[in-house]
Amino acid sequence: MAPINSPVTAQELQILSTKAISAKDSAYCPYSKFQVGACILTSSGEFVVGANVENASYPVGTCAERVAFGTAIVAGHKQFKAIAVATNIKPAASPCGMCRQFMREFTSADFPVYMYDADGNHTVKTMGELLPDSFGPDDLSH
Ligand code: THU
């Protein structure tokens, strides 16, 4: 198995971005009409996609990032190399606060979050940049 934090290759990033961008089409967002696609690259080299799924009871809706991570965890994946998140706006959207905390559970501070804009251009930040001084599983084991 590849090390947890081995860098994403150019080929992996190409696939990751393509899958995140096309996952926007799977979004169920009749209320906001704001499509979000996500794709996670697991440490074993698999790709797991997600999209936002809204609800008539608005707060019940779920973001693309949490759908992707929930799907990956339930499929048995435990270690992750990167996530790509794609929206139809410019500049690229970055994950909401709830998703940052959700992803924090399964990632390290140097985990890269690639954010794609409407044109397919990206910026990238680490989890540590997106959620500094965070609370995580280790804090419960004292
Ligand atoms: N959304 C995401 O899927 N990810 C985020 O990080 C921010 C927001 C979704 C939630 C909702 O379906 C729509 O975008 C508008 O907020």
Side-chain angles (χ1 to χ4, degrees), residues 29 32 34 36 52-54 62-65 85 94-96 99:
C29 54
S32 73
F34 190 86
V36 186
N52 51 329
V53 181
E54 298 185 346
T62 308
C63 293
E65 298 92 320
V85 182
S94 65
C96 77
C99 286

Side-chain angles (χ1 to χ4, degrees), residues 1-4 6-9 11-13 15-16 19 39-49 72 77-82:
M1 185 189 295
I4 301 171
S6 63
V8 178
T9 67
Q11 188 193 13
E12 286 173 332
L13 189 57
I15 299 168
L16 192 67
K19 287 182 179 291
C39 186
I40 298 167
L41 172 61
T42 72
S43 293
S44 55
E46 290 175 64
F47 296 87
V48 181
V49 297
H77 299 291
K78 292 181 169 36
Q79 296 178 326
F80 306 99
K81 281 177 80 172

Side-chain angles (χ1 to χ4, degrees), residues 66-125:
R66 279 177 285 142
V67 170
F69 262 103
T71 302
I73 292 296
V74 169
H77 299 291
K78 292 181 169 36
Q79 296 178 326
F80 306 99
K81 281 177 80 172
I83 188 171
V85 182
T87 57
N88 291 321
I89 60 170
K90 282 197 292 185
S94 65
C96 77
M98 189 179 285
C99 286
R100 293 177 194 206
Q101 180 64 33
F102 196 90
M103 295 191 290
R104 162 68 178 84
E105 185 78 10
F106 311 112
T107 60
S108 54
D110 60 356
F111 179 83
V113 179
Y114 292 88
M115 295 161 275
Y116 287 83
D117 70 13
D119 294 335
N121 297 314
H122 77 267
T123 55
V124 58
K125 287 192 175 174

